[in-house]
Amino acid sequence: MIVKEDLSNGSAECKIPVVNVVDNKDFKERFLYVAENVEKEDFVQKNLNGCNCIDVCLPGRCACIDNSTTRIYDGKIDLTNGIPDFYERILYECDKNTCLGCRGKCQWRLTPEKFNLEVELFKTPLAGWAVRSRQPIEAGTFIAEFVGEVVHHSSMAHRPIDYAYDLPLLEINKSANICIFFEFLFLSLPAYVDPHVFGNITRFLNHSCFENLHPFRYYSHHRDKSRISLGFFASRDIIPGDELTIDYGPEWWKGKIEESKKQNQTFFCCCDWVYCINPAPGKPQMNEKDAIKEMKRRIERNHAIVMCWKENQRNF
């Protein structure tokens, strides 16, 4: 049952239907869908320059390409050498607002002007609302930027921070987590991106122990080094019907389990993977060896389906 025709209210290139076949209840909107971050507080602008390429952007002459440690190939994140390390890699994307020469019309461009993937928001039996793909998505494809209201660290003292975790983007801290909130600790200007009131499709991404999205850091339409952008790309091929998921991280789970114990409650992972970090009693599980085989099987199956779809796209 479609309970809302378009979650984005026309701001995305493709409609994002909201589907509920669990209890057929209406979707209660407690937030405003936005395409980019909302800034109601004053921040000191610390701008970085883009490139000044006149005709074409090439390595060795384009500042955006040369400063990037995350690479773009054929309009997607380059996964030739594996998934880029979130804490050690960064992308400087050419953009019309920051690059005076190419104006973002060159090949060093990853993000679209509008959200352009066919997805839907759907109600799950156990894990609330989630995001599901309605089209094949090739590995490396940009999914969306994590957006919300950008607020100072001090402002979060008056807001709920149940899912707020440190994420120092200019320091190496691999114990940090990625979840409903992303805390940006930049130099002396810490800020949050808070998706409770303003947000997009990324605020509904659930955890999976076999996630298919990976976060990355990038600069695009602005070069304010105090507030870098955070986005998600497909870490493996995705087929229609697959839920779009991320990894909340072991520290998030540790905190949730400890919190539930203090309240004499139990907290389990509701993802559909067969080798789960904290499975509910009775949830079918494989041993590690068999889970690795199943992982490879799904990756190969999805890759074959996506490549077949891609070949058909070329023939039309």
Side-chain angles (χ1 to χ4, degrees):
M1 175 181 176
I2 296 179
V3 295
K4 183 176 174 62
E5 291 292 332
D6 183 12
L7 179 70
S8 76
N9 299 313
S11 64
E13 188 172 304
C14 304
K15 288 185 177 181
I16 305 174
V18 181
V19 180
N20 184 357
V21 296
V22 175
D23 53 26
N24 293 328
K25 291 183 179 180
D26 291 337
F27 175 68
K28 296 181 180 180
E29 295 187 62
R30 296 186 175 91
F31 81 109
L32 179 65
Y33 192 101
V34 293
E36 57 187 26
N37 285 323
V38 175
E39 299 183 8
K40 292 187 175 182
E41 300 181 3
D42 293 330
F43 287 88
V44 178
Q45 295 292 320
K46 300 179 181 180
N47 292 320
L48 303 173
N49 295 325
C51 70
N52 293 309
C53 303
I54 301 301
D55 46 5
V56 63
C57 293
L58 295 172
R61 55 187 286 187
C62 175
C64 296
I65 295 178
D66 293 344
N67 289 332
S68 297
T69 48
T70 293
R71 316 307 295 175
I72 299 175
Y73 179 75
D74 194 24
K76 294 178 285 294
I77 295 287
D78 186 359
L79 302 179
T80 304
N81 297 317
I83 295 176
D85 187 284
F86 176 80
Y87 300 94
E88 298 176 359
R89 301 293 184 90
I90 192 169
L91 171 67
Y92 293 86
E93 178 185 56
C94 289
D95 184 79
K96 63 182 179 181
N97 295 322
T98 54
C99 299
L100 301 179
C102 70
R103 295 292 182 181
K105 296 181 179 180
C106 66
Q107 82 282 4
W108 200 250
R109 180 77 190 176
L110 179 71
T111 64
E113 290 293 328
K114 293 183 177 182
F115 181 78
N116 63 353
L117 298 175
E118 293 187 14
V119 301
E120 65 183 19
L121 188 69
F122 72 103
K123 184 73 173 289
T124 69
L126 299 174
W129 295 95
V131 185
R132 179 165 55 202
S133 178
R134 302 171 65 199
Q135 68 169 78
I137 301 175
E138 189 175 358
T141 299
F142 174 80
I143 303 299
E145 179 184 2
F146 181 85
V147 301
E149 183 180 358
V150 181
V151 296
H152 285 292
H153 183 273
S154 58
S155 299
M156 290 306 297
H158 309 291
R159 298 177 180 229
I161 55 172
D162 292 344
Y163 294 95
Y165 290 85
D166 289 344
L167 191 60
L169 296 186
L170 294 184
E171 301 174 9
I172 302 300
N173 182 354
K174 296 192 177 183
S175 65
N177 296 281
I178 300 159
C179 193
I180 305 303
F181 284 103
F182 295 88
E183 181 178 1
F184 295 164
L185 301 181
F186 295 103
L187 304 177
S188 60
L189 184 61
Y192 279 95
V193 173
D194 177 0
H196 267 76
V197 179
F198 303 95
N200 64 2
I201 197 72
T202 59
R203 77 192 295 276
F204 295 101
L205 295 176
N206 277 337
H207 165 86
S208 174
C209 296
F210 183 38
E211 77 282 1
N212 51 23
L213 304 186
H214 194 77
F216 75 106
R217 304 175 299 152
Y218 70 104
Y219 288 107
S220 181
H221 53 277
H222 72 78
R223 295 297 168 93
D224 183 350
K225 63 182 180 181
S226 67
R227 295 191 310 287
I228 201 169
S229 294
L230 189 147
F232 294 99
F233 67 88
S235 55
R236 53 188 174 88
D237 295 310
I238 298 169
I239 62 175
D242 281 355
E243 182 181 346
L244 303 184
T245 56
I246 59 176
D247 180 5
Y248 286 3
E251 292 300 316
W252 185 90
W253 280 103
K254 180 180 178 181
K256 275 294 182 181
I257 293 171
E258 290 178 353
E259 179 184 338
S260 63
K261 286 181 178 179
K262 292 178 182 178
Q263 300 175 359
N264 294 320
Q265 297 176 345
T266 54
F267 189 83
F268 300 108
C269 178
C270 296
C271 80
D272 63 354
W273 184 231
V274 295
Y275 190 64
C276 199
I277 188 172
N278 188 37
K283 181 180 179 180
Q285 292 287 283
M286 291 182 176
N287 58 47
E288 184 176 5
K289 183 178 179 180
D290 289 340
I292 292 174
K293 290 182 180 179
E294 176 63 13
M295 180 185 298
K296 291 180 178 179
R297 186 192 71 81
R298 294 194 189 188
I299 290 174
E300 291 173 357
R301 177 203 63 186
N302 282 19
H303 182 67
I305 293 173
V306 171
M307 290 301 101
C308 182
W309 167 78
K310 188 176 180 181
E311 184 63 28
N312 289 336
Q313 292 290 101
R314 290 197 191 102
N315 294 332
F316 281 101

